[in-house]
Amino acid sequence: MDNEFTARRAVTVADVARAAQVSKAAAARALGGYGSVSDAVKQRVLEAAGRLDYRPNELARTMATGRSGTIGVIVGDIENPFFGSAVRGISDLAAASGFDVILSNSSETPSAEKASTRVFLAKRVDGLIVAPATMHDGAHLADALGQGCPLVLLDRDVPGLPVDVALIDDQAAAREATGLLIASGHRRLAYITATSVVDGRYSDTGQIVLTTVQNRIAGFREAAAAAGLAESDLRIRLGASTTAQSQEILLELLRAPDRPTAILSSDSKIALEVFRAARAVGLAVPRDLSLITFDDAGWTSAVSPTVTVVSQPSYRLGYAAARMLIERIGGDKSAPRRCVLETALIRRESVSPPIAADAVEGRARTP
Amino acid sequence: MDNEFTARRAVTVADVARAAQVSKAAAARALGGYGSVSDAVKQRVLEAAGRLDYRPNELARTMATGRSGTIGVIVGDIENPFFGSAVRGISDLAAASGFDVILSNSSETPSAEKASTRVFLAKRVDGLIVAPATMHDGAHLADALGQGCPLVLLDRDVPGLPVDVALIDDQAAAREATGLLIASGHRRLAYITATSVVDGRYSDTGQIVLTTVQNRIAGFREAAAAAGLAESDLRIRLGASTTAQSQEILLELLRAPDRPTAILSSDSKIALEVFRAARAVGLAVPRDLSLITFDDAGWTSAVSPTVTVVSQPSYRLGYAAARMLIERIGGDKSAPRRCVLETALIRRESVSPPIAADAVEGRARTP
DNA sequence: TTGAAAGCGCTACCAC
DNA sequence: GTGGTAGCGCTTTCAA
């Protein structure tokens, strides 16, 4: 049974050296491309390596050098297209710079994120890119830093952690989107987001674990305040993580007599749920309900009506994070940087003025 | 500047042993949880480890044991929700079984896939799960096998490679979906897929590099043949990988006088393009054009019209692949297995009978 | 340029 | 149960 699919002992530098009749050190130098080797020896070694089908053991190399040529990435949910695209941005630059990427999913769970951090550190990654699941616990991240492992935060910030971050200006983006809704004549507005909380009702900021969510809500309220809307005109709902949760929240909202006439949704999955809920209660978008969502998902520009979105540069965010990290790995010791990328409000068909019955109050105020 | 964020030399078993006043071997046993150690020593060692903040070096462990506790996964496109979900299936079982997952994106490119395979082997992964970018070149995969690295194929097969595979019955799925179209009265049918080819026109099977595509086309033609449709009623188009390519293909198809009245799309991204193209030429779904797509993407059940889909058990596919791989890693030497998972045809609103003008020929044939 | 030998941090085997 | 010690495969001084 010694066919071509049977395992055989791996061939090492020592084997190659013996076959090429040179010392182990010489063979290692020729194979590793460092130090100085005569052309003659190099020839012999390379020939022998080819003949024996030698494959370097990256692990042994890492142990000896301390560098693994690998960067670890931890995101909340790889199924989320936002992260999928960010990861591709990271991978592309990493590959071009000679780094491998190893990826882990935290499922937006701080404990899983901690475990992954530990594993990556144990595997001696050269650096870490993390989209932290919470802004409240950065101990494991500070820890990585403490061990001398460069770290860059992606999309979300952890206040107090002195590291590079690549993110967007969520507050400004939400403010602009909300402004568009208000400019279209809406005054009863809702903001729906997926962050996990004790109680879906927005009560105090203490519940929020993500800086992105915090900032978007701030932008939402800021725009409302600037337009003179009352707090009571605003519906802020957290906890729309699953279809069931989203429907519960949305149906309650849309069935109320003073239902919102416009919704700002924090991701495209929730926007989908808005369509579903609107259909369930017999509301048409945008005639009865206007909608803007974060994330320029593919379907938003293909379906009817096409949906107005806040487009986030996810690929470039990943790319920027990788760029900063690789600079740090290269020895850059400068002060932590914030790389803030631009979003774009793409106007499509899902926003229109509220119909008379719904807007009556609003009209009275703006004659 | 010796603050908490400054790198310090990593603490090793030797350090812990010294601090606990025991031998290196004893400390290693206590820390590694193998061999036998007295409770007293164990206590002391663990205490010292905690005090010194000892972290095991996974790399050194791997070198010594030969096992890395890591499985490598290579998929074509992590942004594709199908793979995203499959990867989660893999990760979930892997984590539960004590394995880490490292992921790589081949961008559907055989050369990138080869490079990733090499890297993973060099990193000494315990096993590999690959969604091969081509069925025509499995040398690097046979190679992995040859080195004794267990391998499981995901979603796509490589004929001739004696390995476990986890996939769906693409041919049956396509046959069933096509059957539904035909049963609804359609007779001019198109199948659109994203595989890369020299020429977008379907000419011969030699162009096709993916078994999935091959099998789906076979099922499509099979159903058509069974219903007595002529080859000339069928439009098979390959190469719809980008928006531009898809639009070119679709617009040409839909503007033709004998345009298809129903389309079977091989993934949800293409289905989106169908909506876009239909809108561009003024065709309404499903009144003027029926549509079924592979992939039960979230948006397909939320937009109007909801779309009829072939739902693939992507999560379970990943889970099954991981299960087989872990069994192999555990030493299972039995013959290669094929794990074929069920698809489901979910009927929604995007399929209806063709309108009279389009169906005239068809009606004449089936009075 | 070349070779011998000392690690990298851990496991595993073997006496005691 | 415990301690010594020989590797795992590679890099990296350091003499020659």
Side-chain angles (χ1 to χ4, degrees):
Chain A
M1 285 297 281
D2 206 64
N3 63 43
E4 75 171 303
F5 295 117
T6 301
R8 44 184 186 271
R9 202 186 118 284
V11 3
T12 73
V13 273
D15 298 321
V16 176
R18 203 172 309 118
Q21 318 228 48
V22 297
S23 75
K24 207 179 95 178
R29 278 190 288 256
L31 260 12
Y34 59 92
S36 44
V37 222
S38 67
D39 282 347
V41 170
K42 192 166 202 166
Q43 284 285 311
R44 285 226 305 287
V45 171
L46 262 28
E47 184 277 327
R51 189 155 41 79
L52 297 182
D53 193 26
Y54 165 79
R55 322 287 182 90
N57 182 330
E58 215 56 61
L59 247 51
R61 181 169 292 169
T62 300
M63 272 219 20
T65 60
R67 283 166 281 112
S68 64
T70 302
I71 74 188
V73 177
I74 306 177
V75 297
D77 177 16
I78 192 58
E79 285 185 74
N80 181 330
F82 173 83
F83 284 127
S85 153
V87 166
R88 211 164 52 73
I90 294 170
S91 300
D92 285 357
L93 181 58
S97 310
F99 286 90
D100 305 317
V101 170
I102 71 184
L103 186 71
S104 182
N105 217 73
S106 72
S107 309
E108 298 291 8
T109 311
S111 64
E113 180 182 308
K114 277 186 186 176
S116 293
T117 308
R118 198 175 336 105
V119 169
F120 282 175
L121 252 26
K123 283 196 191 305
R124 296 300 190 264
V125 294
D126 288 342
L128 228 35
I129 295 179
V130 180
T134 174
M135 58 185 282
H136 293 128
D137 186 359
H140 55 300
L141 301 177
D143 213 63
L145 249 29
Q147 289 187 41
C149 175
L151 168 69
V152 173
L153 261 28
L154 176 71
D155 183 48
R156 305 156 181 183
D157 200 2
V158 174
L161 206 61
V163 289
D164 295 334
V165 294
L167 33 67
I168 64 166
D169 187 342
D170 286 288
Q171 187 162 346
R175 195 195 308 129
E176 187 186 0
T178 308
L180 174 58
L181 258 16
I182 294 173
S184 300
H186 296 275
R187 63 188 310 280
R188 289 200 306 276
L189 313 175
Y191 178 78
I192 321 282
T193 184
T195 198
S196 63
V197 285
V198 202
D199 168 17
R201 283 280 161 87
Y202 173 71
S203 42
D204 70 310
T205 41
Q207 292 196 21
I208 303 176
V209 297
L210 261 29
T211 50
T212 48
V213 174
Q214 211 168 50
N215 294 335
R216 288 177 189 181
I217 290 178
F220 177 70
R221 304 180 70 209
E222 200 180 346
L229 299 196
E231 268 295 324
S232 60
D233 288 329
L234 269 27
R235 309 277 180 276
I236 297 176
R237 294 293 184 276
L238 317 174
S241 301
T242 66
T243 290
Q245 292 169 325
S246 301
Q247 288 306 315
E248 190 185 348
I249 291 171
L250 287 165
L251 292 177
E252 191 208 322
L253 230 41
L254 296 181
R255 282 181 176 143
D258 59 342
R259 68 169 182 85
T261 61
I263 290 181
L264 179 55
S265 139
S266 73
D267 68 55
S268 57
K269 245 176 95 182
I270 294 179
L272 241 23
E273 301 301 340
V274 171
F275 274 108
R276 212 171 260 146
R279 177 198 288 229
V281 300
L283 258 28
V285 177
R287 195 176 58 92
D288 307 311
L289 184 66
S290 285
L291 171 67
I292 299 182
T293 184
F294 274 78
D295 276 1
D296 188 16
W299 63 268
T300 58
S301 58
V303 301
S304 315
T306 56
V307 2
T308 295
V309 300
V310 175
S311 166
Q312 303 185 79
S314 50
Y315 179 91
R316 284 171 43 227
L317 227 34
Y319 198 90
R323 184 173 43 70
M324 292 191 286
L325 184 67
I326 290 172
E327 285 172 15
R328 294 294 178 189
I329 293 174
D332 180 356
K333 298 282 184 220
S334 56
R337 290 161 298 180
R338 300 179 68 80
C339 175
V340 182
L341 263 38
E342 293 294 314
T343 58
L345 182 59
I346 303 181
R347 289 147 204 255
R348 294 204 272 245
E349 302 167 353
S350 64
V351 176
S352 72
I355 56 179
D358 289 323
V360 68
E361 276 183 80
R363 289 239 178 114
R365 288 211 186 173
T366 42
Chain B
M1 286 300 282
D2 205 63
N3 62 44
E4 75 171 304
F5 297 117
T6 302
R8 42 184 188 272
R9 200 185 120 286
V11 4
T12 73
V13 272
D15 299 320
V16 175
R18 203 173 309 119
Q21 319 227 48
V22 298
S23 75
K24 205 181 97 178
R29 277 190 291 256
L31 261 12
Y34 60 94
S36 41
V37 220
S38 66
D39 281 348
V41 171
K42 192 167 202 167
Q43 284 285 310
R44 287 226 305 287
V45 171
L46 262 29
E47 185 276 327
R51 188 155 42 80
L52 297 182
D53 193 27
Y54 165 79
R55 321 289 183 89
N57 182 330
E58 214 56 62
L59 249 51
R61 181 170 292 168
T62 299
M63 274 214 39
T65 61
R67 283 166 281 115
S68 63
T70 302
I71 74 187
V73 176
I74 307 178
V75 298
D77 177 17
I78 193 56
E79 286 186 75
N80 182 330
F82 173 84
F83 285 127
S85 153
V87 167
R88 211 163 53 72
I90 294 171
S91 301
D92 284 357
L93 181 58
S97 309
F99 286 90
D100 306 316
V101 169
I102 71 183
L103 185 71
S104 182
N105 216 75
S106 71
S107 309
E108 299 291 8
T109 311
S111 63
E113 180 182 310
K114 277 186 187 177
S116 293
T117 307
R118 198 175 336 105
V119 169
F120 282 174
L121 289 178
K123 284 197 189 304
R124 296 301 191 261
V125 294
D126 289 342
L128 230 34
I129 295 180
V130 181
T134 174
M135 57 185 281
H136 292 128
D137 186 359
H140 55 301
L141 301 177
D143 212 63
L145 248 29
Q147 289 188 42
C149 176
L151 169 68
V152 172
L153 261 28
L154 177 71
D155 182 48
R156 306 157 181 183
D157 199 4
V158 175
L161 206 60
V163 290
D164 296 333
V165 294
L167 33 68
I168 63 167
D169 187 342
D170 286 288
Q171 187 162 347
R175 196 195 308 127
E176 188 186 359
T178 309
L180 174 59
L181 259 16
I182 295 173
S184 300
H186 296 276
R187 60 188 312 278
R188 288 200 307 275
L189 313 174
Y191 179 79
I192 320 283
T193 185
T195 198
S196 63
V197 287
V198 203
D199 169 17
R201 283 280 162 87
Y202 173 71
S203 41
D204 70 309
T205 41
Q207 291 195 22
I208 303 177
V209 297
L210 262 28
T211 50
T212 47
V213 173
Q214 212 169 49
N215 294 335
R216 290 178 188 181
I217 290 178
F220 177 70
R221 303 178 70 208
E222 201 180 344
L229 301 196
E231 269 294 326
S232 59
D233 289 328
L234 272 24
R235 310 276 180 276
I236 296 176
R237 294 294 183 275
L238 316 173
S241 301
T242 66
T243 289
Q245 291 168 326
S246 301
Q247 289 305 315
E248 190 185 349
I249 290 170
L250 286 164
L251 291 176
E252 190 208 324
L253 231 39
L254 296 180
R255 281 180 176 143
D258 58 344
R259 68 168 182 84
T261 61
I263 290 182
L264 179 56
S265 140
S266 73
D267 68 56
S268 58
K269 244 176 97 183
I270 294 178
L272 241 24
E273 301 301 340
V274 172
F275 274 107
R276 211 170 260 146
R279 178 198 287 231
V281 300
L283 258 27
V285 177
R287 195 176 58 93
D288 307 312
L289 183 67
S290 286
L291 170 67
I292 298 182
T293 183
F294 273 79
D295 278 1
D296 187 17
W299 63 267
T300 58
S301 59
V303 301
S304 313
T306 57
V307 0
T308 295
V309 301
V310 175
S311 166
Q312 304 185 78
S314 50
Y315 179 91
R316 285 171 42 227
L317 226 36
Y319 199 90
R323 185 173 44 69
M324 292 192 286
L325 184 67
I326 290 172
E327 284 171 15
R328 293 295 179 189
I329 292 174
D332 180 356
K333 298 282 184 220
S334 56
R337 289 161 299 181
R338 300 178 67 79
C339 175
V340 182
L341 263 38
E342 293 294 313
T343 58
L345 183 60
I346 303 181
R347 290 148 203 252
R348 294 203 274 245
E349 303 168 351
S350 65
V351 176
S352 71
I355 56 179
D358 289 325
V360 69
E361 276 183 81
R363 290 240 177 111
R365 287 213 188 173
T366 42

